[in-house]
Amino acid sequence: MDPRQQARVDLAAILRWSARLGLNEGVDNHFSVLVPGTEDRFIINPHRRHWCDMRASDLVEVDGDGNLVVGDEPPEATAFFIHWRIHTQCAHAKAILHTHMPYATALSALEGGRLEPIVQPALKFHNQIAYDDAYNGLALDSAEGDRLAGALADRRIAILANHGVITTGPTVAHAFNDLYYLERAAQAQVLAYSTGRPVQRIPQSVCETTFQQMQADRDDQATRFLAEIKRLLDKEEPDYAD
């Protein structure tokens, strides 16, 4: 498959799967990927369309000035300013996923909220999360997009105070793998907090060793996870690839 079409199919697949998992919020939030072979265009879900029946052909393509290159309607302003500024300033961010998913967003609403090393999935993110502790309103200009890009810097993930999360990666598969396991780790943490009992933190030395072990398998896990999602969609909702 042509790389540009493959990027569209992959993005449509994870939009649908995220809707199944309840990671979306109404018709808001946005996923994007740089157009393969370019550095000045990205593909993103269209303005306020529900994710549950998204098709590859529904996705829009936008240039660095916010002009619509392919599609019927450009994304909302916050989607452009967040995604384009991060794509521009963070070389590792070929794919960018931004959600207000429930459990990770709950952590972002806690004073000094951090993902704690209390369950194995959290160790995937050892020293990989940037915390933006200053909610600054909607990202309606380049300055706010630049601020978020600066907070993310060279980290894979940003947890945005009182707002939600951003995951990035070299591919859609990598960014979605992080999004999924981040929410699972946050869910476990919120549930542990809800018991009112002290949490048991994993020692830092074990966190580092386990992170390195997980890194060795990261590419394979991300690629196979997305392949399995598409295999299931091919049987149940094959029009996602149209």
Side-chain angles (χ1 to χ4, degrees):
M1 185 182 294
D2 173 78
R4 297 189 181 200
Q5 181 62 17
Q6 187 66 67
R8 286 177 166 271
V9 169
D10 289 352
L11 204 60
I14 65 164
L15 284 161
R16 287 207 186 190
W17 205 257
S18 294
R20 287 194 184 196
L21 298 176
L23 304 183
N24 60 318
E25 186 172 63
V27 292
D28 298 313
N29 302 170
H30 13 84
F31 291 176
S32 70
V33 61
L34 280 177
V35 176
T38 80
E39 295 295 332
D40 60 353
R41 294 183 181 182
F42 65 97
I43 300 164
I44 193 166
N45 47 302
H47 181 61
R48 291 186 171 160
R49 277 279 311 277
H50 204 282
W51 297 2
C52 70
D53 63 352
M54 194 68 64
R55 300 174 302 167
S57 58
D58 294 326
L59 302 173
V60 302
E61 186 176 322
V62 181
D63 69 16
D65 294 319
N67 299 313
L68 189 67
V69 178
V70 178
D72 298 325
E73 185 179 9
E76 62 172 317
T78 62
F80 173 74
F81 287 117
I82 291 173
H83 287 250
W84 183 239
R85 302 314 293 170
I86 295 173
H87 278 308
T88 299
Q89 298 180 42
C90 302
H92 60 286
K94 304 299 185 187
I96 300 171
L97 313 183
H98 171 52
T99 72
H100 302 165
M101 54 192 189
Y103 290 97
T105 301
L107 289 186
S108 84
L110 299 176
E111 184 175 352
R114 299 291 186 266
L115 186 70
E116 301 286 357
I118 61 173
V119 293
Q120 180 171 288
L123 305 189
K124 288 179 178 291
F125 312 114
H126 180 63
N127 291 334
Q128 295 298 310
I129 302 177
Y131 293 93
D132 176 24
D133 289 326
Y135 178 71
N136 202 40
L138 299 181
L140 293 175
D141 55 38
S142 294
E144 182 62 11
D146 289 343
R147 191 184 72 81
L148 294 177
L152 187 62
D154 59 351
R155 301 296 175 92
R156 286 168 22 201
I157 295 156
I159 293 182
L160 313 176
N162 313 105
H163 185 178
V165 304
I166 294 170
T167 68
T168 68
T171 68
V172 169
H174 285 83
F176 181 75
N177 198 58
D178 276 355
L179 190 79
Y180 174 82
Y181 284 103
L182 179 66
E183 180 68 351
R184 294 291 291 184
Q187 180 180 21
Q189 183 172 326
V190 170
L191 291 172
Y193 281 171
S194 73
T195 69
R197 298 182 60 186
V199 296
Q200 178 171 274
R201 288 173 175 79
I202 299 169
Q204 283 297 300
S205 60
V206 178
C207 291
E208 178 62 33
T209 299
T210 308
F211 171 75
Q212 294 300 333
Q213 292 170 334
M214 291 177 166
Q215 278 292 96
D217 189 50
R218 181 173 172 237
D219 291 346
D220 185 66
Q221 183 186 56
T223 301
R224 291 190 182 211
F225 189 15
L226 179 54
E228 283 298 287
I229 289 170
K230 291 192 290 185
R231 183 180 66 82
L232 295 172
L233 289 173
D234 285 342
K235 291 195 300 183
E236 300 169 11
E237 302 175 33
D239 65 322
Y240 81 97
D242 290 350

